Amino acid sequence: MVEESPYRFRIDRRDPMRVPGVIFASRSLLPDAGADRSLDQVANVATLPGIVDASYAMPDVHWGYGFPIGGVAATDIEAGGVVSPGGVGFDISCGVRLLTADLDRDELRPRLDAVMDGLSEATPRGMGKGAVWHLTGRDELDAVLRGGSRYAVERGFGVERDLHRCEDYGAVDDADPAQVSERAIERGARQVGSLGSGNHFLEVQAVEQVYDEPVAEAFGLRPGQVCVMIHCGSRGLGHQICTDHVRAMEKVMGRHGIHVPDRQLACAPVSSHEGRAYLGAMAAAANYARANRQLLAHAAGQIFERQTGRRLDLVYDISHNLAKIEDHAVDGGTRRLCVHRKGATRALPPGHPDLPEELRAAGQPVLIPGSMGTGSYVLTGVAGAPAWASTCHGAGRVQSRKQAVVAGRGADPRAQLEAQDIAVRGASRRGLAEEMPAAYKDISAVVEAAEGAGLCRKVARLVPLGVVKG
DNA sequence: ATGTCC
């Protein structure tokens, strides 16, 4: 491992790697090789057919299925580049949505308990059970898989303006519900509009600090302002799609002449039947995840209006588990790439044509959920950044769930949060123990490294007032 | 992350 510059380390190319590995991190954030094999995974990803420039890792990198979480890899489609479900992850289009209320934290204080009770009741969560929507059948689920947040807005769960504040205007093109298995459909039908569990949450937050006033203003953020952050994904549907397509690709990799150092890197050329099938199913799951966040946000907005008389306005909705077909400058030309971001967030710079007009001068809002009780960040993209306009996605685990439970034995996680004046709703003791800050890297150090590496810029820091968990 | 093993 070579320290190329502050916040940038290189794993030199060696056979069978096709490109080097590049890790954006401070020395203290680098994974401990004894406890976490994610740097081996960075090197493994570098062997994938068609990979361009480098196998990248963000400062929150940690061990994942095949690819590391916090990994970014782009493949050149016309040069036989592959797509790999493990490069997206099981929770397809897992992401974050941030909303603001025209309300100061001091104004909310007397209503906070009532707001939290309302949010708790309005937010289906936990393993398996409950959802905002009860779909009538396959036709309606297909509409969700094709239309994402756009379909939810069409059905009255939100307003047209929301779509301008969603990545891809609320839906990915080229979703192909025919590539979604019956089992995935069955799992998904019961869960449209549900939070899930684990590190997924809905938080009421306040803007604690603003680092860039003009950009914060463009995003609609001011000091002391009340916000709602929702972190969730595609539930059982995305999980089943990942499982199905990994299995399908494992069977045909040899036929495509592809050999990988880890079975979990199962992949197929983007232009192959299996590659296109996965991308069609992945896009469907992405739309499901976006509709999911749209429904939960709408439900939260109704609670806010009832309890405070103020509505919630969408700042942005962005995924951190997705592969996207994007055009990028490579060696002086433009190439069509399949950019895998797994536990990594797209960060479009100011002026990017994919941004809505009102955000174009400021850049894309990049939403970074912190570990429970520690605060979250809003960042933005910077021009000329490396790693295909990507940055970190969160704190990143340093302890497994099991380790976190063992390490926290004797402590009362709920009491710890309440001692920090954070209201807690509906979380199991074990669920809380698994998500305690000690199980994660320091979010501020992660963001510091991401900014230091030139991947993004800080805009604001948010702190939790109340949390709803599964 | 996940009907934490079909």
Side-chain angles (χ1 to χ4, degrees):
Chain A
M1 174 102 61
V2 183
E3 187 166 10
E4 286 188 331
S5 57
Y7 304 115
R8 185 177 171 124
F9 292 81
R10 186 181 72 242
I11 302 170
D12 279 321
R13 197 201 70 78
R14 57 177 188 272
D15 288 336
M17 292 165 70
R18 295 167 191 261
V19 293
V22 171
I23 302 102
F24 299 103
S26 61
R27 196 164 273 283
S28 61
L29 281 171
L30 283 176
D32 171 7
D36 176 313
R37 309 304 296 168
S38 59
L39 296 185
D40 294 340
Q41 295 187 313
V42 172
N44 289 344
V45 169
T47 68
L48 292 179
I51 187 167
V52 181
D53 279 8
S55 165
Y56 293 106
M58 303 294 117
D60 48 338
V61 63
H62 59 112
W63 186 87
Y65 180 88
F67 284 56
I69 295 164
V72 176
T75 59
D76 187 330
I77 296 172
E78 283 166 24
V82 295
V83 61
S84 175
V88 171
F90 278 86
D91 194 1
I92 296 166
S93 205
C94 179
V96 181
R97 168 175 286 233
L98 181 68
L99 307 111
T100 54
D102 186 14
L103 198 66
D104 213 69
R105 63 186 295 176
D106 297 329
E107 292 175 83
L108 177 65
R109 172 97 24 214
R111 305 296 302 153
L112 181 62
D113 265 330
V115 167
M116 292 307 299
D117 288 340
L119 291 173
S120 180
E121 200 177 338
T123 309
R125 59 191 182 277
M127 286 290 278
K129 52 196 170 201
V132 172
W133 244 354
H134 304 282
L135 299 185
T136 50
R138 168 102 203 203
D139 284 354
E140 196 171 19
L141 187 55
D142 276 7
V144 171
L145 299 181
R146 285 207 172 83
S149 295
R150 290 180 204 164
Y151 179 65
V153 167
E154 241 171 69
R155 290 288 310 277
F157 295 86
V159 294
E160 186 70 24
R161 179 193 173 277
D162 293 346
L163 302 178
H164 289 260
R165 297 308 188 95
C166 290
E167 177 184 22
D168 310 308
Y169 291 89
V172 183
D173 292 334
D174 304 324
D176 187 358
Q179 304 303 335
V180 179
S181 68
E182 273 310 315
R183 183 182 288 184
I185 294 286
E186 276 169 33
R187 292 178 69 172
R190 302 179 295 237
Q191 298 180 320
V192 196
S194 67
L195 197 58
S197 59
N199 70 353
H200 289 161
F201 64 75
L202 182 151
E203 274 185 6
V204 177
Q205 306 176 332
V207 179
E208 179 77 0
Q209 199 173 351
V210 165
Y211 305 96
D212 185 321
E213 235 171 88
V215 174
E217 198 187 333
F219 292 175
L221 300 169
R222 60 167 195 268
Q225 179 165 32
V226 172
C227 303
V228 171
M229 182 176 275
I230 298 171
H231 176 208
C232 66
S234 51
R235 310 287 279 107
L237 179 120
H239 193 278
Q240 190 62 48
I241 286 172
C242 183
T243 303
D244 292 341
H245 287 262
V246 163
R247 210 167 284 163
M249 285 185 182
E250 274 176 347
K251 285 189 194 140
V252 300
M253 261 198 301
R255 220 176 295 158
H256 289 298
I258 296 171
H259 303 280
V260 291
D262 178 354
R263 277 181 68 108
Q264 296 184 353
L265 292 174
C267 59
V270 171
S271 55
S272 69
H273 170 73
E274 294 79 15
R276 284 200 305 270
Y278 170 68
L279 284 170
M282 182 208 72
N287 291 337
Y288 182 97
R290 284 110 188 268
N292 196 19
R293 290 192 287 273
Q294 184 70 36
L295 290 166
L296 292 173
H298 183 257
Q302 288 188 315
I303 299 300
F304 257 77
E305 284 185 32
R306 189 182 311 155
Q307 294 294 341
T308 71
R310 311 291 169 87
R311 64 167 194 274
L312 294 178
D313 289 321
L314 185 55
V315 174
Y316 208 68
D317 182 298
I318 183 76
S319 304
H320 48 230
N321 281 0
L322 205 63
K324 296 187 97 147
I325 309 302
E326 301 175 1
D327 291 329
H328 285 278
V330 179
D331 298 332
T334 300
R335 306 293 299 177
R336 179 136 280 215
L337 306 180
C338 178
V339 183
H340 302 72
R341 295 187 183 88
K342 178 188 192 180
T345 315
R346 189 190 70 171
L348 300 179
H352 197 282
D354 289 353
L355 289 169
E357 213 175 299
E358 73 269 24
L359 293 177
R360 203 161 296 157
Q364 180 207 301
V366 177
L367 311 174
I368 309 296
S371 58
M372 201 172 52
T374 61
S376 300
Y377 281 84
V378 179
L379 316 172
T380 192
V382 296
W388 322 114
S390 312
T391 189
C392 57
H393 86 303
R397 272 193 177 276
V398 287
Q399 291 175 345
S400 69
R401 293 176 194 287
K402 203 171 182 180
Q403 283 172 329
V405 171
V406 172
R409 220 164 23 199
D412 182 349
R414 179 181 298 270
Q416 281 182 36
L417 287 165
E418 283 168 353
Q420 296 172 68
D421 226 10
I422 300 167
V424 184
R425 291 293 185 278
S428 68
R429 187 195 168 94
R430 188 186 170 88
L432 288 179
E434 288 175 350
E435 296 301 321
M436 287 311 277
Y440 285 86
K441 295 183 188 182
D442 172 6
I443 185 69
S444 297
V446 167
V447 166
E448 211 64 61
E451 190 174 44
L455 298 168
C456 56
R457 272 187 327 109
K458 282 193 289 194
V459 176
R461 188 168 88 89
L462 316 173
V463 293
L465 305 178
V467 56
V468 177
K469 282 190 80 71

